[in-house]
Amino acid sequence: MAPLKWWQRAVFYQIYPRSFADANGDGIGDFPGMTAKLDYLRDLGVDALWLSPHYPSPFLDCGYDIADYCDVAPEYGTLWDFSRFLQKAHERGLRVILDLVLNHTSDQHAWFREARSSRASPWRDWYVWRDPAPDGGPPNNWASIFGGPAWTLDQATGQYYYHVFLPEQPDLNWRNPEVKAALWDAVRFWLDLGVDGFRLDAIATIFEHPDLPDHTLPVSPGAVLDANTLPWDDYWQLLRFQLHQPGMHELMKELRALVESYPGDRVLVGEDEDLAFHGSGDDELHLVFNFPLQRTRRITPAHVRANQALRLGALPPGAWPCNTLGNHDAPRVWSRYGDGAHDAALARLHLALLLTLKGTPFLYYGEELGMADLELSDLGQLRDTNAINRYRALTERRGVAPEAALREVLATTRDRCRGPMQWSEAPNAGFTAPEAVPWLPLHPNHRAGVSVAAQADDPGSLLSFYRRLLALRRATPALLAGEFEVLHPDSEDHLAFLRHDRDSGQTCLVVLNFSGAAQRPAFDLGGRAARLRFSSAERPAGRLDLQPLSLAPFEAVILDLL
């Protein structure tokens, strides 16, 4: 077997730049702040950093509305600050990948400003424009993923432009070769600076059906086709002409060839779950997120087994899996999968799962502390434009009482999982100056042990658990490269599997107890003995009896088979 690439061995750690560390006291994270925390990340034991968008942006979609692809948002610093961050990360053995938004720009981008200046503008065809329908309305009934129609009328020029997300995020026209050339130049700009790859945002949306056909669904005349008026399944069917259109895979192959023209095994990670984005296995994206793993209210052995059977069975030859349980668009792992009574034990169990499955794991900042979703209380605290628009739709179009609409929006906004990193128990959690106003509120639990300072020297803390398990994974060939084999396929309470690495000959048995009760599963492994390598419970070192193996509630055990 060929040696693993760095991105196959790595554990990635997602940083939300606005929320990680603020060096200048303005309440917003920045590159000098992130640079000052690189030793912490190295000591944590991660190998690579994924930065959410750091580009100039009006920040209507949390940075995913880019106004300049080749610069740094002034609130985060300068291009020199970025270059220093990248250099210092590399000096510590940390790779860095950037978020790249190919589908759309901000409406404040110079390209779109020029495009909307006149129908005759040379930039007009860089975006998707159409004349109104005969009744003066939008060209078709397509819906935006963020609610409402996918078309906005530009009053000055009398045409509609297309946007699959916010009206302030006009879609680029990728059928125009000038658009592709400009974006490939942006890719080269960052690769020339030395970045190690890109996480590609919303890649399935890049092309739309060229004929712009109407969606047909059984709705009443005049109904607005969006998530606020239709059942969820019907709403997603509305996107069938706007997602996964022909041309995507050819484009990804071209981008892969561009990236591979640079040395150092640069990596492409797709924000999509469709394994077709692996292409033949080595000609499109290197990694595609296993989102179905996290798409459940409760992680169970049956869910994981079914997920792994489907994902690993469908991978094309040569492709590599990629697993995650959290990111900037989902509730935090602590809040999403906790049960109130065993949150800490479940957090340990879920990390053990993520680091022992086959594939590259992605962690989200603050998970190592047990950071929870923010507790927001009023509309003025929201920064997520999609949530604010949702509130308006509920109150103005659906007649929901303001109090009920506010409760719903505060319970679902993506702001909840984007709170400032909790470094200490100091005012503002050490994220920013004590007198500053953070861009999002702090969770009050930073004063109750959920901080780096409170956990760093505590061997029983969640942070210490992360450090130990990350170090173990790095030092265990079977967990890095081993094949995955399920044992006890019908167990409802525990998940058991083998990871076997042919090159080293190492085989690890992983057993995860998802039950709050002790378990005693028995293993018949041809008489092989087992030696403890790791446990989330108190266990003496040495050999363990597998006939049966006694498991404490929510215990994670990793054994070497001898």
Side-chain angles (χ1 to χ4, degrees):
M1 181 178 176
L4 295 184
K5 306 287 189 181
W6 69 263
W7 48 266
Q8 293 173 305
R9 300 172 59 90
V11 175
F12 282 77
Y13 182 99
Q14 182 187 357
I15 291 178
Y16 202 68
R18 214 170 190 83
S19 292
F20 199 63
D22 172 24
N24 65 2
D26 65 355
I28 297 173
D30 48 42
F31 276 110
M34 285 187 279
T35 303
K37 301 300 184 182
L38 287 171
D39 286 345
Y40 165 79
L41 295 167
R42 176 199 60 198
D43 296 344
L44 176 61
V46 297
D47 308 281
L49 310 176
W50 155 27
L51 301 186
S52 290
H54 67 282
Y55 314 93
S57 167
F59 209 73
L60 291 178
D61 188 23
C62 304
Y64 287 89
D65 45 330
I66 296 175
D68 187 340
Y69 282 96
C70 297
D71 205 350
V72 171
E75 62 266 34
Y76 298 153
T78 64
L79 201 54
W80 184 90
D81 293 320
F82 170 85
S83 297
R84 183 173 183 273
F85 166 81
L86 183 63
Q87 174 194 345
K88 296 301 181 182
H90 284 167
E91 288 174 1
R92 289 160 174 79
L94 295 168
R95 308 276 187 153
V96 177
I97 69 170
L98 306 182
D99 228 316
L100 184 62
V101 184
L102 297 175
N103 176 70
H104 54 265
T105 70
S106 164
D107 64 351
Q108 299 305 305
H109 197 293
W111 299 341
F112 189 71
R113 289 184 172 183
E114 291 288 345
R116 75 187 313 176
S117 66
S118 164
R119 290 197 185 196
S121 167
W123 280 272
R124 188 71 169 186
D125 193 44
W126 284 45
Y127 295 85
V128 181
W129 296 88
R130 292 294 186 276
D131 289 330
D135 64 358
N140 62 25
N141 65 355
W142 287 3
S144 162
I145 289 175
F146 284 167
W151 298 92
T152 290
L153 178 64
D154 179 61
Q155 297 286 351
T157 60
Q159 282 190 316
Y160 283 86
Y161 65 86
Y162 171 69
H163 51 88
V164 75
F165 294 102
L166 294 173
E168 295 84 3
Q169 294 172 290
D171 272 44
L172 287 161
N173 176 19
W174 275 87
R175 292 185 172 85
N176 182 342
E178 292 180 325
V179 169
K180 183 169 64 175
L183 267 298
W184 284 180
D185 283 346
V187 168
R188 293 186 186 93
F189 176 86
W190 296 107
L191 291 174
D192 289 341
L193 284 178
V195 303
D196 299 289
F198 301 93
R199 177 264 192 189
L200 306 176
D201 178 71
I203 51 173
T205 64
I206 288 177
F207 288 102
E208 51 284 329
H209 196 295
D211 297 334
L212 308 183
D214 269 346
H215 295 299
T216 55
L217 280 174
V219 296
S220 58
V224 179
L225 303 184
D226 68 30
N228 298 318
T229 59
L230 289 174
W232 189 248
D233 289 343
D234 286 348
Y235 167 62
W236 280 106
Q237 287 186 42
L238 288 180
L239 300 174
R240 66 185 183 278
F241 297 133
Q242 299 163 258
L243 301 176
H244 297 283
Q245 294 295 303
M248 274 305 314
H249 297 291
E250 292 78 6
L251 190 69
M252 292 300 100
K253 288 176 183 177
E254 189 172 334
L255 180 56
R256 173 75 173 255
L258 189 165
V259 166
E260 290 193 340
S261 70
Y262 283 76
D265 294 323
R266 317 294 174 101
V267 67
L268 295 173
V269 186
E271 189 203 11
D272 203 275
E273 65 192 56
D274 188 351
L275 294 175
F277 280 110
H278 283 298
S280 67
D282 64 356
D283 65 347
E284 290 190 40
L285 304 186
H286 301 85
L287 296 172
V288 176
F289 283 116
N290 179 10
F291 288 136
L293 179 65
Q294 71 182 69
R295 199 173 294 132
T296 178
R297 178 60 188 90
R298 180 169 168 259
I299 303 289
T300 66
H303 172 72
V304 176
R305 286 191 295 263
N307 172 268
Q308 291 297 288
L310 184 62
R311 299 294 293 187
L312 297 179
L315 276 177
W320 189 253
C322 171
N323 301 301
T324 187
L325 291 177
N327 58 43
H328 63 290
D329 284 330
R332 284 194 170 273
V333 171
W334 183 278
S335 300
R336 187 175 194 172
Y337 301 121
D339 65 1
H342 309 99
D343 291 346
L346 286 167
R348 288 169 166 80
L349 190 69
H350 293 140
L351 177 69
L353 171 69
L354 199 58
L355 295 191
T356 56
L357 290 176
K358 181 178 180 179
T360 299
F362 276 67
L363 307 177
Y364 187 51
Y365 80 97
E367 288 178 359
E368 71 273 20
L369 308 175
M371 282 179 59
D373 285 348
L374 293 180
E375 300 172 351
L376 302 173
S377 58
D378 65 72
L379 201 63
Q381 293 175 320
L382 295 181
R383 300 293 178 265
D384 181 359
T385 302
N386 186 38
I388 296 169
N389 289 348
R390 171 75 174 163
Y391 173 82
R392 291 172 179 160
L394 288 171
T395 55
E396 297 173 8
R397 291 169 47 196
R398 294 186 59 186
V400 176
E403 296 82 3
L406 182 61
R407 284 195 301 271
E408 179 176 332
V409 167
L410 293 179
T412 57
T413 175
R414 297 173 298 171
D415 287 329
R416 295 175 304 154
C417 67
R418 299 170 175 179
M421 180 69 172
Q422 296 169 194
W423 295 102
S424 71
E425 298 180 4
N428 285 330
F431 161 72
T432 186
E435 67 278 5
V437 178
W439 81 282
L440 277 175
L442 269 298
H443 198 295
N445 67 10
H446 76 273
R447 301 188 184 92
V450 186
S451 71
V452 173
Q455 297 187 25
D457 298 323
D458 177 2
S461 70
L462 183 58
L463 176 57
S464 294
F465 181 85
Y466 264 70
R467 288 172 173 168
R468 290 198 305 274
L469 197 49
L470 284 163
L472 174 77
R473 182 184 186 276
R474 181 179 285 178
T476 308
L479 296 183
L480 293 173
E483 294 303 317
F484 177 87
E485 179 185 349
V486 166
L487 303 176
H488 299 185
D490 298 319
S491 170
E492 296 181 1
D493 295 317
H494 71 272
L495 176 69
F497 54 90
L498 298 176
R499 298 290 310 280
H500 175 66
D501 177 44
R502 295 177 183 176
D503 291 344
S504 67
Q506 183 185 48
T507 299
C508 285
L509 169 63
V510 179
V511 190
L512 308 175
N513 183 8
F514 283 81
S515 167
Q519 302 292 318
R520 290 173 58 82
F523 295 88
D524 181 5
L525 297 171
R528 296 181 70 175
R531 182 178 59 222
L532 181 67
R533 199 167 168 81
F534 182 89
S535 172
S536 60
E538 293 294 331
R539 282 185 182 269
R543 296 195 177 199
L544 286 179
D545 185 4
L546 299 179
Q547 296 289 345
L549 174 64
S550 296
L551 294 172
F554 302 113
E555 184 180 5
V557 176
I558 303 171
L559 306 166
D560 274 331
L561 295 188
L562 304 176

